[in-house]
Amino acid sequence: MALSRSMRACLHSGRLALLAILVSGGIVLQVLACALYNNWWPMLTVLMYLLLPMPLIFFLGSDTSSMMSTGGDGWVNFTKFLTGASIVGSIAIPSILKHAGIIGWGALTMELSSFVVFGVAILWFLQMNGEDEYSGVF
Amino acid sequence: MDSNNLLAAWPIVAPGVAGAVFGAGWWFWIDAVVCSAAAVPFLHYLPGFFASFAALMFNCVSREDIGDSYYSPYDDSEWRVKLWLFISYVVSFVSLAGAVGFLVQDALTDSGPSAWTGSAGVLQCVFVLVSGLIYWTCHSED
């Protein structure tokens, strides 16, 4: 399907806008999980969300291929390690809070759905970036 | 997803998987400590810490340091690397044994930590050591 340049630019900014809506939706869900129940413990998960996009922040701007290459220098591997740990942490913190009885089922569901929304946004952003560079590999 | 593709993608995702497994191990332990009715004595924390330390230790060694391809008649420093690895193995096995011992103790006595605390300790040790192994496979692949 051949799109004209202006159409493609319009579609691209439309996708960026949708991405921004997804991210703000995730933030809203996270804050709601605390505000609706007047229990601010779930905000601890924000610590994990800060660690999550670290490889993207540090390495996406410089050279995308370094993230996807097999060699991987030490720091890229370490940031991937942090991402893996923070993914598990964002699921673990709400579950531990629920297990200890500090939050209820509603807050847990909202926390987990906020995590899913953030995950979808990051994956979609990665895919969009990959398309831009016309690389067939993701 | 055929196995060939999976094998090619492994070095890219291995550090992330290692981080996830490491996190899972520690979060199980934190859950057991937070939800424990009885106070968990400091001694029970030690197997987890030593397992993490051992995982760090054997990740400091890259694979080519102990390979046969690197041989020089004037080089006798190979024994240092092997000693380092040996000590890290000893520490990891002792921490694993300690965690299992604490599980048995927790299961048998009613006072003190519950059986969940003991099992979480064993899970923590196992996951942390497995995570160290996974990370080791990725950083010395050329």
Side-chain angles (χ1 to χ4, degrees), chain A residues 48 67-71 74 77-78 80-82 84-85 88-89 92-93 95-96 99-100, chain B residues 8 11-12 15-16 18-20 22-24 27 30-31 34-35 116 131 135 138-139 141:
Chain A
M48 291 291 138
M67 232 175 56
M68 304 299 173
S69 73
T70 62
N77 282 344
F78 183 62
K80 286 186 193 175
F81 184 89
L82 281 184
V88 168
I93 292 186
S95 316
I96 294 180
H99 188 211
Chain B
I12 301 176
F22 185 85
W27 285 112
I30 292 177
D31 177 77
V34 164
C35 301
W116 167 237
S131 138
Y135 195 80
C138 78
H139 82 72
E141 252 173 46

PDB file of all heavy atoms in Angstrom, chain A residues 48 67-71 74 77-78 80-82 84-85 88-89 92-93 95-96 99-100, chain B residues 8 11-12 15-16 18-20 22-24 27 30-31 34-35 116 131 135 138-139 141:
ATOM      1  N   MET A  48       9.805   0.897  40.381  1.00  0.00           N
ATOM      2  CA  MET A  48      10.099  -0.102  39.371  1.00  0.00           C
ATOM      3  C   MET A  48       9.892   0.463  37.970  1.00  0.00           C
ATOM      4  O   MET A  48      10.642   0.153  37.048  1.00  0.00           O
ATOM      5  CB  MET A  48       9.202  -1.327  39.567  1.00  0.00           C
ATOM      6  CG  MET A  48       9.536  -2.096  40.809  1.00  0.00           C
ATOM      7  SD  MET A  48      11.121  -2.907  40.641  1.00  0.00           S
ATOM      8  CE  MET A  48      11.805  -2.604  42.225  1.00  0.00           C
ATOM      9  N   MET A  67      21.555  -2.689  20.919  1.00  0.00           N
ATOM     10  CA  MET A  67      20.658  -3.379  21.838  1.00  0.00           C
ATOM     11  C   MET A  67      20.294  -4.746  21.299  1.00  0.00           C
ATOM     12  O   MET A  67      20.145  -5.698  22.025  1.00  0.00           O
ATOM     13  CB  MET A  67      19.381  -2.558  22.011  1.00  0.00           C
ATOM     14  CG  MET A  67      19.055  -2.322  23.456  1.00  0.00           C
ATOM     15  SD  MET A  67      17.673  -1.261  23.723  1.00  0.00           S
ATOM     16  CE  MET A  67      16.392  -2.061  22.831  1.00  0.00           C
ATOM     17  N   MET A  68      20.150  -4.816  19.948  1.00  0.00           N
ATOM     18  CA  MET A  68      19.689  -6.052  19.360  1.00  0.00           C
ATOM     19  C   MET A  68      20.838  -6.949  18.947  1.00  0.00           C
ATOM     20  O   MET A  68      20.639  -8.058  18.535  1.00  0.00           O
ATOM     21  CB  MET A  68      18.823  -5.762  18.118  1.00  0.00           C
ATOM     22  CG  MET A  68      17.658  -4.866  18.422  1.00  0.00           C
ATOM     23  SD  MET A  68      16.560  -5.596  19.623  1.00  0.00           S
ATOM     24  CE  MET A  68      15.457  -4.274  19.935  1.00  0.00           C
ATOM     25  N   SER A  69      22.066  -6.448  19.019  1.00  0.00           N
ATOM     26  CA  SER A  69      23.180  -7.277  18.558  1.00  0.00           C
ATOM     27  C   SER A  69      23.496  -8.330  19.605  1.00  0.00           C
ATOM     28  O   SER A  69      23.205  -8.162  20.782  1.00  0.00           O
ATOM     29  CB  SER A  69      24.414  -6.407  18.310  1.00  0.00           C
ATOM     30  OG  SER A  69      24.938  -6.005  19.544  1.00  0.00           O
ATOM     31  N   THR A  70      24.115  -9.404  19.157  1.00  0.00           N
ATOM     32  CA  THR A  70      24.355 -10.503  20.082  1.00  0.00           C
ATOM     33  C   THR A  70      25.574 -10.219  20.963  1.00  0.00           C
ATOM     34  O   THR A  70      25.672 -10.707  22.070  1.00  0.00           O
ATOM     35  CB  THR A  70      24.605 -11.811  19.319  1.00  0.00           C
ATOM     36  OG1 THR A  70      25.789 -11.618  18.527  1.00  0.00           O
ATOM     37  CG2 THR A  70      23.469 -12.126  18.411  1.00  0.00           C
ATOM     38  N   GLY A  71      26.534  -9.449  20.445  1.00  0.00           N
ATOM     39  CA  GLY A  71      27.750  -9.208  21.221  1.00  0.00           C
ATOM     40  C   GLY A  71      27.406  -8.535  22.524  1.00  0.00           C
ATOM     41  O   GLY A  71      27.598  -9.064  23.592  1.00  0.00           O
ATOM     42  N   GLY A  74      29.167  -4.742  28.088  1.00  0.00           N
ATOM     43  CA  GLY A  74      28.759  -5.001  29.470  1.00  0.00           C
ATOM     44  C   GLY A  74      27.607  -4.163  29.955  1.00  0.00           C
ATOM     45  O   GLY A  74      26.705  -4.652  30.633  1.00  0.00           O
ATOM     46  N   ASN A  77      24.132  -5.138  28.601  1.00  0.00           N
ATOM     47  CA  ASN A  77      23.635  -6.324  29.289  1.00  0.00           C
ATOM     48  C   ASN A  77      23.127  -5.982  30.680  1.00  0.00           C
ATOM     49  O   ASN A  77      22.108  -6.508  31.131  1.00  0.00           O
ATOM     50  CB  ASN A  77      24.751  -7.368  29.408  1.00  0.00           C
ATOM     51  CG  ASN A  77      24.955  -8.116  28.114  1.00  0.00           C
ATOM     52  OD1 ASN A  77      24.108  -8.078  27.236  1.00  0.00           O
ATOM     53  ND2 ASN A  77      26.085  -8.788  27.989  1.00  0.00           N
ATOM     54  N   PHE A  78      23.844  -5.082  31.363  1.00  0.00           N
ATOM     55  CA  PHE A  78      23.426  -4.757  32.711  1.00  0.00           C
ATOM     56  C   PHE A  78      22.095  -4.025  32.721  1.00  0.00           C
ATOM     57  O   PHE A  78      21.229  -4.267  33.584  1.00  0.00           O
ATOM     58  CB  PHE A  78      24.505  -3.923  33.401  1.00  0.00           C
ATOM     59  CG  PHE A  78      24.182  -3.609  34.826  1.00  0.00           C
ATOM     60  CD1 PHE A  78      24.042  -4.624  35.753  1.00  0.00           C
ATOM     61  CD2 PHE A  78      23.979  -2.304  35.237  1.00  0.00           C
ATOM     62  CE1 PHE A  78      23.718  -4.350  37.060  1.00  0.00           C
ATOM     63  CE2 PHE A  78      23.662  -2.010  36.551  1.00  0.00           C
ATOM     64  CZ  PHE A  78      23.528  -3.039  37.467  1.00  0.00           C
ATOM     65  N   LYS A  80      19.762  -4.383  30.519  1.00  0.00           N
ATOM     66  CA  LYS A  80      18.729  -5.383  30.232  1.00  0.00           C
ATOM     67  C   LYS A  80      18.405  -6.175  31.489  1.00  0.00           C
ATOM     68  O   LYS A  80      17.245  -6.532  31.746  1.00  0.00           O
ATOM     69  CB  LYS A  80      19.204  -6.331  29.140  1.00  0.00           C
ATOM     70  CG  LYS A  80      19.206  -5.729  27.771  1.00  0.00           C
ATOM     71  CD  LYS A  80      19.560  -6.786  26.754  1.00  0.00           C
ATOM     72  CE  LYS A  80      19.872  -6.163  25.423  1.00  0.00           C
ATOM     73  NZ  LYS A  80      20.324  -7.153  24.475  1.00  0.00           N
ATOM     74  N   PHE A  81      19.442  -6.467  32.300  1.00  0.00           N
ATOM     75  CA  PHE A  81      19.236  -7.163  33.564  1.00  0.00           C
ATOM     76  C   PHE A  81      18.308  -6.351  34.449  1.00  0.00           C
ATOM     77  O   PHE A  81      17.348  -6.884  35.035  1.00  0.00           O
ATOM     78  CB  PHE A  81      20.609  -7.354  34.236  1.00  0.00           C
ATOM     79  CG  PHE A  81      20.575  -8.130  35.502  1.00  0.00           C
ATOM     80  CD1 PHE A  81      20.687  -9.497  35.500  1.00  0.00           C
ATOM     81  CD2 PHE A  81      20.437  -7.485  36.718  1.00  0.00           C
ATOM     82  CE1 PHE A  81      20.678 -10.231  36.669  1.00  0.00           C
ATOM     83  CE2 PHE A  81      20.417  -8.206  37.902  1.00  0.00           C
ATOM     84  CZ  PHE A  81      20.544  -9.577  37.882  1.00  0.00           C
ATOM     85  N   LEU A  82      18.566  -5.028  34.534  1.00  0.00           N
ATOM     86  CA  LEU A  82      17.716  -4.158  35.359  1.00  0.00           C
ATOM     87  C   LEU A  82      16.288  -4.149  34.852  1.00  0.00           C
ATOM     88  O   LEU A  82      15.340  -4.153  35.641  1.00  0.00           O
ATOM     89  CB  LEU A  82      18.265  -2.731  35.354  1.00  0.00           C
ATOM     90  CG  LEU A  82      19.435  -2.455  36.267  1.00  0.00           C
ATOM     91  CD1 LEU A  82      19.780  -0.982  36.198  1.00  0.00           C
ATOM     92  CD2 LEU A  82      19.104  -2.848  37.685  1.00  0.00           C
ATOM     93  N   GLY A  84      14.734  -6.593  33.226  1.00  0.00           N
ATOM     94  CA  GLY A  84      14.095  -7.848  33.612  1.00  0.00           C
ATOM     95  C   GLY A  84      13.696  -7.836  35.071  1.00  0.00           C
ATOM     96  O   GLY A  84      12.573  -8.219  35.436  1.00  0.00           O
ATOM     97  N   ALA A  85      14.613  -7.344  35.935  1.00  0.00           N
ATOM     98  CA  ALA A  85      14.309  -7.314  37.357  1.00  0.00           C
ATOM     99  C   ALA A  85      13.153  -6.370  37.655  1.00  0.00           C
ATOM    100  O   ALA A  85      12.294  -6.662  38.501  1.00  0.00           O
ATOM    101  CB  ALA A  85      15.546  -6.903  38.152  1.00  0.00           C
ATOM    102  N   VAL A  88       9.696  -7.910  36.753  1.00  0.00           N
ATOM    103  CA  VAL A  88       9.217  -8.808  37.801  1.00  0.00           C
ATOM    104  C   VAL A  88       8.829  -8.015  39.035  1.00  0.00           C
ATOM    105  O   VAL A  88       7.833  -8.312  39.703  1.00  0.00           O
ATOM    106  CB  VAL A  88      10.295  -9.860  38.129  1.00  0.00           C
ATOM    107  CG1 VAL A  88       9.958 -10.605  39.393  1.00  0.00           C
ATOM    108  CG2 VAL A  88      10.439 -10.824  36.991  1.00  0.00           C
ATOM    109  N   GLY A  89       9.599  -6.960  39.332  1.00  0.00           N
ATOM    110  CA  GLY A  89       9.284  -6.156  40.498  1.00  0.00           C
ATOM    111  C   GLY A  89       7.945  -5.460  40.394  1.00  0.00           C
ATOM    112  O   GLY A  89       7.210  -5.350  41.377  1.00  0.00           O
ATOM    113  N   ALA A  92       5.577  -7.977  41.221  1.00  0.00           N
ATOM    114  CA  ALA A  92       5.736  -8.534  42.565  1.00  0.00           C
ATOM    115  C   ALA A  92       5.238  -7.586  43.645  1.00  0.00           C
ATOM    116  O   ALA A  92       4.590  -8.021  44.608  1.00  0.00           O
ATOM    117  CB  ALA A  92       7.200  -8.880  42.819  1.00  0.00           C
ATOM    118  N   ILE A  93       5.543  -6.271  43.506  1.00  0.00           N
ATOM    119  CA  ILE A  93       5.186  -5.353  44.601  1.00  0.00           C
ATOM    120  C   ILE A  93       3.679  -5.332  44.859  1.00  0.00           C
ATOM    121  O   ILE A  93       3.244  -5.494  46.013  1.00  0.00           O
ATOM    122  CB  ILE A  93       5.730  -3.942  44.355  1.00  0.00           C
ATOM    123  CG1 ILE A  93       7.251  -3.947  44.437  1.00  0.00           C
ATOM    124  CG2 ILE A  93       5.177  -2.978  45.365  1.00  0.00           C
ATOM    125  CD1 ILE A  93       7.861  -2.578  44.341  1.00  0.00           C
ATOM    126  N   SER A  95       1.570  -7.666  44.198  1.00  0.00           N
ATOM    127  CA  SER A  95       1.145  -8.978  44.701  1.00  0.00           C
ATOM    128  C   SER A  95       1.512  -9.146  46.168  1.00  0.00           C
ATOM    129  O   SER A  95       0.739  -9.698  46.946  1.00  0.00           O
ATOM    130  CB  SER A  95       1.801 -10.095  43.885  1.00  0.00           C
ATOM    131  OG  SER A  95       1.750  -9.804  42.532  1.00  0.00           O
ATOM    132  N   ILE A  96       2.726  -8.653  46.546  1.00  0.00           N
ATOM    133  CA  ILE A  96       3.120  -8.759  47.952  1.00  0.00           C
ATOM    134  C   ILE A  96       2.208  -7.913  48.815  1.00  0.00           C
ATOM    135  O   ILE A  96       1.782  -8.337  49.899  1.00  0.00           O
ATOM    136  CB  ILE A  96       4.590  -8.341  48.139  1.00  0.00           C
ATOM    137  CG1 ILE A  96       5.508  -9.320  47.427  1.00  0.00           C
ATOM    138  CG2 ILE A  96       4.941  -8.279  49.600  1.00  0.00           C
ATOM    139  CD1 ILE A  96       6.958  -8.970  47.569  1.00  0.00           C
ATOM    140  N   HIS A  99      -0.908  -9.819  49.209  1.00  0.00           N
ATOM    141  CA  HIS A  99      -0.710 -10.988  50.061  1.00  0.00           C
ATOM    142  C   HIS A  99      -0.644 -10.595  51.525  1.00  0.00           C
ATOM    143  O   HIS A  99      -1.099 -11.325  52.403  1.00  0.00           O
ATOM    144  CB  HIS A  99       0.581 -11.712  49.642  1.00  0.00           C
ATOM    145  CG  HIS A  99       0.785 -13.028  50.312  1.00  0.00           C
ATOM    146  ND1 HIS A  99       2.025 -13.536  50.585  1.00  0.00           N
ATOM    147  CD2 HIS A  99      -0.090 -13.945  50.778  1.00  0.00           C
ATOM    148  CE1 HIS A  99       1.904 -14.712  51.171  1.00  0.00           C
ATOM    149  NE2 HIS A  99       0.629 -14.982  51.301  1.00  0.00           N
ATOM    150  N   ALA A 100      -0.045  -9.405  51.795  1.00  0.00           N
ATOM    151  CA  ALA A 100       0.068  -8.958  53.179  1.00  0.00           C
ATOM    152  C   ALA A 100      -1.217  -8.297  53.663  1.00  0.00           C
ATOM    153  O   ALA A 100      -1.306  -7.893  54.813  1.00  0.00           O
ATOM    154  CB  ALA A 100       1.242  -7.988  53.321  1.00  0.00           C
TER     155      ALA A 100
ATOM    156  N   ALA B   8      19.022 -18.057  18.073  1.00  0.00           N
ATOM    157  CA  ALA B   8      19.671 -16.828  17.612  1.00  0.00           C
ATOM    158  C   ALA B   8      19.271 -15.651  18.485  1.00  0.00           C
ATOM    159  O   ALA B   8      20.058 -14.740  18.704  1.00  0.00           O
ATOM    160  CB  ALA B   8      19.292 -16.565  16.157  1.00  0.00           C
ATOM    161  N   PRO B  11      20.971 -14.667  22.963  1.00  0.00           N
ATOM    162  CA  PRO B  11      21.904 -13.716  23.572  1.00  0.00           C
ATOM    163  C   PRO B  11      21.321 -12.322  23.737  1.00  0.00           C
ATOM    164  O   PRO B  11      21.807 -11.550  24.548  1.00  0.00           O
ATOM    165  CB  PRO B  11      23.084 -13.687  22.594  1.00  0.00           C
ATOM    166  CG  PRO B  11      22.982 -14.945  21.842  1.00  0.00           C
ATOM    167  CD  PRO B  11      21.527 -15.224  21.727  1.00  0.00           C
ATOM    168  N   ILE B  12      20.246 -12.017  22.960  1.00  0.00           N
ATOM    169  CA  ILE B  12      19.673 -10.679  23.073  1.00  0.00           C
ATOM    170  C   ILE B  12      18.814 -10.571  24.320  1.00  0.00           C
ATOM    171  O   ILE B  12      18.826  -9.574  25.026  1.00  0.00           O
ATOM    172  CB  ILE B  12      18.843 -10.348  21.821  1.00  0.00           C
ATOM    173  CG1 ILE B  12      19.717 -10.435  20.591  1.00  0.00           C
ATOM    174  CG2 ILE B  12      18.232  -8.976  21.932  1.00  0.00           C
ATOM    175  CD1 ILE B  12      18.975 -10.229  19.307  1.00  0.00           C
ATOM    176  N   PRO B  15      20.115 -11.466  29.175  1.00  0.00           N
ATOM    177  CA  PRO B  15      20.281 -10.647  30.388  1.00  0.00           C
ATOM    178  C   PRO B  15      18.946 -10.276  31.016  1.00  0.00           C
ATOM    179  O   PRO B  15      18.827 -10.227  32.245  1.00  0.00           O
ATOM    180  CB  PRO B  15      21.007  -9.399  29.884  1.00  0.00           C
ATOM    181  CG  PRO B  15      21.573  -9.754  28.588  1.00  0.00           C
ATOM    182  CD  PRO B  15      20.668 -10.773  28.003  1.00  0.00           C
ATOM    183  N   GLY B  16      17.930 -10.022  30.181  1.00  0.00           N
ATOM    184  CA  GLY B  16      16.617  -9.676  30.719  1.00  0.00           C
ATOM    185  C   GLY B  16      16.007 -10.838  31.479  1.00  0.00           C
ATOM    186  O   GLY B  16      15.438 -10.674  32.565  1.00  0.00           O
ATOM    187  N   ALA B  18      17.674 -13.249  32.858  1.00  0.00           N
ATOM    188  CA  ALA B  18      18.443 -13.411  34.089  1.00  0.00           C
ATOM    189  C   ALA B  18      17.969 -12.426  35.151  1.00  0.00           C
ATOM    190  O   ALA B  18      17.825 -12.770  36.318  1.00  0.00           O
ATOM    191  CB  ALA B  18      19.928 -13.213  33.806  1.00  0.00           C
ATOM    192  N   GLY B  19      17.731 -11.175  34.742  1.00  0.00           N
ATOM    193  CA  GLY B  19      17.244 -10.179  35.693  1.00  0.00           C
ATOM    194  C   GLY B  19      15.891 -10.550  36.250  1.00  0.00           C
ATOM    195  O   GLY B  19      15.629 -10.382  37.439  1.00  0.00           O
ATOM    196  N   ALA B  20      15.013 -11.080  35.375  1.00  0.00           N
ATOM    197  CA  ALA B  20      13.678 -11.455  35.825  1.00  0.00           C
ATOM    198  C   ALA B  20      13.753 -12.580  36.854  1.00  0.00           C
ATOM    199  O   ALA B  20      13.080 -12.535  37.891  1.00  0.00           O
ATOM    200  CB  ALA B  20      12.823 -11.877  34.636  1.00  0.00           C
ATOM    201  N   PHE B  22      16.317 -13.404  38.762  1.00  0.00           N
ATOM    202  CA  PHE B  22      16.934 -12.872  39.972  1.00  0.00           C
ATOM    203  C   PHE B  22      15.920 -12.113  40.798  1.00  0.00           C
ATOM    204  O   PHE B  22      15.802 -12.299  42.020  1.00  0.00           O
ATOM    205  CB  PHE B  22      18.087 -11.951  39.569  1.00  0.00           C
ATOM    206  CG  PHE B  22      18.878 -11.421  40.715  1.00  0.00           C
ATOM    207  CD1 PHE B  22      19.908 -12.158  41.261  1.00  0.00           C
ATOM    208  CD2 PHE B  22      18.609 -10.171  41.249  1.00  0.00           C
ATOM    209  CE1 PHE B  22      20.654 -11.660  42.312  1.00  0.00           C
ATOM    210  CE2 PHE B  22      19.342  -9.674  42.300  1.00  0.00           C
ATOM    211  CZ  PHE B  22      20.361 -10.418  42.841  1.00  0.00           C
ATOM    212  N   GLY B  23      15.149 -11.258  40.117  1.00  0.00           N
ATOM    213  CA  GLY B  23      14.124 -10.487  40.821  1.00  0.00           C
ATOM    214  C   GLY B  23      13.095 -11.395  41.457  1.00  0.00           C
ATOM    215  O   GLY B  23      12.680 -11.197  42.598  1.00  0.00           O
ATOM    216  N   ALA B  24      12.668 -12.442  40.695  1.00  0.00           N
ATOM    217  CA  ALA B  24      11.664 -13.362  41.232  1.00  0.00           C
ATOM    218  C   ALA B  24      12.155 -13.992  42.523  1.00  0.00           C
ATOM    219  O   ALA B  24      11.417 -14.084  43.511  1.00  0.00           O
ATOM    220  CB  ALA B  24      11.338 -14.440  40.196  1.00  0.00           C
ATOM    221  N   TRP B  27      12.081 -11.385  45.346  1.00  0.00           N
ATOM    222  CA  TRP B  27      10.742 -10.949  45.727  1.00  0.00           C
ATOM    223  C   TRP B  27       9.989 -12.042  46.482  1.00  0.00           C
ATOM    224  O   TRP B  27       9.180 -11.762  47.369  1.00  0.00           O
ATOM    225  CB  TRP B  27       9.949 -10.483  44.506  1.00  0.00           C
ATOM    226  CG  TRP B  27      10.386  -9.142  44.033  1.00  0.00           C
ATOM    227  CD1 TRP B  27      11.020  -8.846  42.868  1.00  0.00           C
ATOM    228  CD2 TRP B  27      10.268  -7.892  44.747  1.00  0.00           C
ATOM    229  NE1 TRP B  27      11.289  -7.504  42.802  1.00  0.00           N
ATOM    230  CE2 TRP B  27      10.840  -6.902  43.938  1.00  0.00           C
ATOM    231  CE3 TRP B  27       9.717  -7.528  45.970  1.00  0.00           C
ATOM    232  CZ2 TRP B  27      10.882  -5.561  44.319  1.00  0.00           C
ATOM    233  CZ3 TRP B  27       9.771  -6.199  46.339  1.00  0.00           C
ATOM    234  CH2 TRP B  27      10.345  -5.240  45.519  1.00  0.00           C
ATOM    235  N   ILE B  30      11.223 -11.577  49.986  1.00  0.00           N
ATOM    236  CA  ILE B  30      10.659 -10.381  50.611  1.00  0.00           C
ATOM    237  C   ILE B  30       9.202 -10.624  50.989  1.00  0.00           C
ATOM    238  O   ILE B  30       8.728 -10.220  52.050  1.00  0.00           O
ATOM    239  CB  ILE B  30      10.798  -9.174  49.666  1.00  0.00           C
ATOM    240  CG1 ILE B  30      12.268  -8.808  49.517  1.00  0.00           C
ATOM    241  CG2 ILE B  30      10.019  -7.989  50.182  1.00  0.00           C
ATOM    242  CD1 ILE B  30      12.521  -7.679  48.561  1.00  0.00           C
ATOM    243  N   ASP B  31       8.470 -11.354  50.111  1.00  0.00           N
ATOM    244  CA  ASP B  31       7.080 -11.672  50.427  1.00  0.00           C
ATOM    245  C   ASP B  31       7.005 -12.505  51.695  1.00  0.00           C
ATOM    246  O   ASP B  31       6.174 -12.263  52.577  1.00  0.00           O
ATOM    247  CB  ASP B  31       6.457 -12.436  49.253  1.00  0.00           C
ATOM    248  CG  ASP B  31       5.030 -12.858  49.554  1.00  0.00           C
ATOM    249  OD1 ASP B  31       4.139 -12.005  49.492  1.00  0.00           O
ATOM    250  OD2 ASP B  31       4.833 -14.043  49.892  1.00  0.00           O
ATOM    251  N   VAL B  34       7.733 -10.278  54.737  1.00  0.00           N
ATOM    252  CA  VAL B  34       6.669  -9.306  55.026  1.00  0.00           C
ATOM    253  C   VAL B  34       5.439 -10.001  55.602  1.00  0.00           C
ATOM    254  O   VAL B  34       4.800  -9.501  56.524  1.00  0.00           O
ATOM    255  CB  VAL B  34       6.310  -8.537  53.735  1.00  0.00           C
ATOM    256  CG1 VAL B  34       5.001  -7.817  53.880  1.00  0.00           C
ATOM    257  CG2 VAL B  34       7.397  -7.551  53.382  1.00  0.00           C
ATOM    258  N   CYS B  35       5.093 -11.166  55.053  1.00  0.00           N
ATOM    259  CA  CYS B  35       3.864 -11.838  55.471  1.00  0.00           C
ATOM    260  C   CYS B  35       4.091 -12.809  56.612  1.00  0.00           C
ATOM    261  O   CYS B  35       3.170 -13.534  56.993  1.00  0.00           O
ATOM    262  CB  CYS B  35       3.250 -12.597  54.298  1.00  0.00           C
ATOM    263  SG  CYS B  35       2.856 -11.529  52.927  1.00  0.00           S
ATOM    264  N   TRP B 116       6.376 -21.533  54.823  1.00  0.00           N
ATOM    265  CA  TRP B 116       6.461 -20.693  53.620  1.00  0.00           C
ATOM    266  C   TRP B 116       7.762 -19.900  53.609  1.00  0.00           C
ATOM    267  O   TRP B 116       8.390 -19.736  52.578  1.00  0.00           O
ATOM    268  CB  TRP B 116       5.265 -19.762  53.523  1.00  0.00           C
ATOM    269  CG  TRP B 116       5.417 -18.662  52.502  1.00  0.00           C
ATOM    270  CD1 TRP B 116       5.324 -17.331  52.729  1.00  0.00           C
ATOM    271  CD2 TRP B 116       5.723 -18.801  51.095  1.00  0.00           C
ATOM    272  NE1 TRP B 116       5.540 -16.618  51.569  1.00  0.00           N
ATOM    273  CE2 TRP B 116       5.793 -17.506  50.548  1.00  0.00           C
ATOM    274  CE3 TRP B 116       5.953 -19.882  50.252  1.00  0.00           C
ATOM    275  CZ2 TRP B 116       6.072 -17.255  49.210  1.00  0.00           C
ATOM    276  CZ3 TRP B 116       6.243 -19.643  48.907  1.00  0.00           C
ATOM    277  CH2 TRP B 116       6.289 -18.343  48.402  1.00  0.00           C
ATOM    278  N   SER B 131      19.807 -17.571  37.910  1.00  0.00           N
ATOM    279  CA  SER B 131      19.931 -16.289  37.213  1.00  0.00           C
ATOM    280  C   SER B 131      21.393 -15.974  36.922  1.00  0.00           C
ATOM    281  O   SER B 131      21.739 -15.503  35.837  1.00  0.00           O
ATOM    282  CB  SER B 131      19.286 -15.200  38.060  1.00  0.00           C
ATOM    283  OG  SER B 131      20.073 -14.060  38.060  1.00  0.00           O
ATOM    284  N   TYR B 135      22.953 -15.400  33.175  1.00  0.00           N
ATOM    285  CA  TYR B 135      23.697 -14.204  32.804  1.00  0.00           C
ATOM    286  C   TYR B 135      25.081 -14.584  32.311  1.00  0.00           C
ATOM    287  O   TYR B 135      25.615 -13.973  31.392  1.00  0.00           O
ATOM    288  CB  TYR B 135      23.802 -13.265  34.013  1.00  0.00           C
ATOM    289  CG  TYR B 135      24.234 -11.876  33.634  1.00  0.00           C
ATOM    290  CD1 TYR B 135      23.330 -10.959  33.110  1.00  0.00           C
ATOM    291  CD2 TYR B 135      25.554 -11.467  33.794  1.00  0.00           C
ATOM    292  CE1 TYR B 135      23.724  -9.697  32.759  1.00  0.00           C
ATOM    293  CE2 TYR B 135      25.947 -10.200  33.443  1.00  0.00           C
ATOM    294  CZ  TYR B 135      25.035  -9.318  32.933  1.00  0.00           C
ATOM    295  OH  TYR B 135      25.418  -8.058  32.575  1.00  0.00           O
ATOM    296  N   CYS B 138      25.330 -15.513  28.632  1.00  0.00           N
ATOM    297  CA  CYS B 138      25.171 -14.477  27.603  1.00  0.00           C
ATOM    298  C   CYS B 138      26.394 -13.605  27.492  1.00  0.00           C
ATOM    299  O   CYS B 138      26.705 -13.126  26.400  1.00  0.00           O
ATOM    300  CB  CYS B 138      23.949 -13.623  27.854  1.00  0.00           C
ATOM    301  SG  CYS B 138      24.202 -12.391  29.119  1.00  0.00           S
ATOM    302  N   HIS B 139      27.101 -13.362  28.603  1.00  0.00           N
ATOM    303  CA  HIS B 139      28.155 -12.352  28.481  1.00  0.00           C
ATOM    304  C   HIS B 139      29.476 -12.892  27.972  1.00  0.00           C
ATOM    305  O   HIS B 139      30.369 -12.118  27.663  1.00  0.00           O
ATOM    306  CB  HIS B 139      28.360 -11.580  29.776  1.00  0.00           C
ATOM    307  CG  HIS B 139      29.213 -12.252  30.792  1.00  0.00           C
ATOM    308  ND1 HIS B 139      30.572 -12.399  30.693  1.00  0.00           N
ATOM    309  CD2 HIS B 139      28.891 -12.805  31.974  1.00  0.00           C
ATOM    310  CE1 HIS B 139      31.041 -13.032  31.753  1.00  0.00           C
ATOM    311  NE2 HIS B 139      30.053 -13.270  32.548  1.00  0.00           N
ATOM    312  N   GLU B 141      29.568 -15.021  25.245  1.00  0.00           N
ATOM    313  CA  GLU B 141      29.333 -15.582  23.921  1.00  0.00           C
ATOM    314  C   GLU B 141      29.865 -14.636  22.864  1.00  0.00           C
ATOM    315  O   GLU B 141      29.514 -13.455  22.852  1.00  0.00           O
ATOM    316  CB  GLU B 141      27.843 -15.813  23.690  1.00  0.00           C
ATOM    317  CG  GLU B 141      27.488 -17.269  23.711  1.00  0.00           C
ATOM    318  CD  GLU B 141      25.996 -17.474  23.658  1.00  0.00           C
ATOM    319  OE1 GLU B 141      25.349 -16.822  22.833  1.00  0.00           O
ATOM    320  OE2 GLU B 141      25.499 -18.274  24.447  1.00  0.00           O
TER     321      GLU B 141
END
